[in-house]
Amino acid sequence: MRGFITDRTARAGLRLAGDLPEPEPGAGEFLLDVRAYAVNPGETKLIEERPDGWRPGQDVAGVVLRPAADGSGPTAGARVVARVDWEGWAERVAVPVHRSAVLDERVTHEQAATLPIAGLTALRALRVGGAVLGRRVLVTGATGGVGQFAVQLAALSGATVTAHVSGDERATQARELGAHQVVTCLRDPALGPFHLILDGVAGPLLTDAVRLLAPDGIAVVYGGHNGPTELRLKDFAMRGHNARVQGFISEHPEETKGEDLAILVSLVADGRLRPVIGRIDDWSRTPDVFEAWAKREFRGKAVLLRT
């Protein structure tokens, strides 16, 4: 079987190997013929940290080759999207039934592959804020992988959404996603106060955002590529009395990942959620795409197809 492994001597630290062992699904797992997969920010660090021979890949979409032995889950031939821990950048992979969702015929493999990590993070982070109907929500990094879904889902939930973007050139895209207001700086005292902040940036930007929290508001932090954040009690005292900052990992709860993926798939099928894909390429070019994506040479998600 062919699939990508880590190799420090290869481009982007990745090499397409041709002699990988076939997956051996457990009782509650099915065998997936991978047709598409997406790249995520966290995989950059994983590829750098893991030893040679490690097999990356978490967001996958494809066709079920062999159903789970225990009779659960999708049947052979079903088109599905799934979240796996690793080994997804390959021809085939074993998938736990509870981490998958069957695709509506209106959803392509390319669209589906963007959903597992970014979509689940946005959906679950938004839920931390409870009912946001009529409330103000701020999304930082609004045109990034998670941000694009967070803006759309918050708007769908009835929130008044302010999108923070890194430059004016991204403002149009943020508005197309459903943002009611787009800003490039959070130091305007006229902004907010926000009931909920969804932050994937951290660093000094998060400090500025916290100062805009409403009383009892919540800042949910799911990323931190902008470095460490310094917070003081007075940052909350400006507006956000009894507000809080909550670190967020989308992995929990584990048992409902498939159910949440199904929600996202349904929204895409109905045209209410639109994945922004910046580049689609053949899976053999994964190192090229990975390098270009890491350098931010394109916006939106990167999806690799295996035909």
Side-chain angles (χ1 to χ4, degrees), residues 4-303:
F4 279 96
I5 63 172
T6 51
D7 183 342
R8 287 179 174 79
T9 67
R11 287 191 60 196
L14 295 168
R15 176 169 61 85
L16 183 58
D19 57 351
L20 299 177
E22 286 286 344
E24 297 182 1
E29 298 179 333
F30 58 85
L31 183 63
L32 181 71
D33 178 27
V34 178
R35 301 293 177 85
Y37 56 79
V39 172
N40 293 285
E43 285 162 326
T44 303
K45 191 170 183 61
L46 287 175
I47 289 170
E48 292 174 350
E49 294 177 343
R50 295 297 190 268
D52 286 354
W54 183 74
R55 296 173 53 191
Q58 299 172 302
D59 288 359
V60 295
V63 177
V64 176
L65 288 175
R66 188 168 69 243
D70 63 4
S72 64
T75 58
R79 298 170 60 251
V80 301
V81 60
R83 162 74 166 89
V84 295
D85 286 329
W86 62 317
E87 300 184 351
W89 296 357
E91 291 180 306
R92 292 171 290 281
V93 67
V95 176
V97 167
H98 71 275
R99 289 183 167 202
S100 69
V102 174
L103 297 181
D104 185 286
E105 62 182 10
R106 294 169 291 176
V107 180
T108 67
H109 287 129
E110 296 98 305
Q111 292 173 315
T114 69
L115 298 175
I117 288 183
L120 286 178
T121 299
L123 176 66
R124 292 177 165 195
L126 181 63
R127 285 175 177 164
V128 174
V132 295
L133 179 64
R135 292 186 159 180
R136 292 179 178 178
V137 173
L138 169 66
V139 179
T140 67
T143 58
V146 177
Q148 60 160 303
F149 291 120
V151 169
Q152 293 181 76
L153 292 171
L156 283 172
S157 300
T160 299
V161 183
T162 296
H164 175 273
V165 295
S166 59
D168 292 332
E169 69 279 2
R170 301 196 176 195
T172 298
Q173 181 184 343
R175 291 191 180 92
E176 290 174 347
L177 292 170
H180 301 87
Q181 180 183 28
V182 182
V183 298
T184 58
C185 178
L186 296 181
R187 296 188 177 181
D188 183 350
L191 291 174
F194 296 104
H195 166 74
L196 176 66
I197 296 172
L198 303 179
D199 177 63
V201 180
L205 185 71
L206 177 57
T207 305
D208 293 338
V210 165
R211 293 169 180 166
L212 299 175
L213 278 170
D216 299 310
I218 308 169
V220 180
V221 183
Y222 55 80
H225 68 263
N226 208 27
T229 300
E230 181 178 301
L231 288 173
R232 301 179 182 180
L233 186 59
K234 67 178 183 180
D235 295 321
F236 295 88
M238 298 181 72
R239 293 186 186 180
H241 308 296
N242 298 322
R244 73 177 192 266
V245 176
Q246 178 171 325
F248 180 79
I249 303 296
S250 66
E251 296 305 300
H252 306 286
E254 167 70 22
E255 62 276 8
T256 58
K257 283 182 180 176
E259 295 175 21
D260 287 346
L261 277 174
I263 292 172
L264 296 170
V265 168
S266 176
L267 292 172
V268 173
D270 291 342
R272 290 183 289 167
L273 184 66
R274 180 178 62 88
V276 179
I277 302 176
R279 181 164 172 175
I280 298 175
D281 215 323
D282 185 83
W283 80 305
S284 63
R285 291 176 50 81
T286 296
D288 304 80
V289 174
F290 198 82
E291 284 186 340
W293 176 83
K295 295 175 184 176
R296 300 186 182 182
E297 293 180 0
F298 58 87
R299 302 173 190 169
K301 298 286 289 183
V303 177

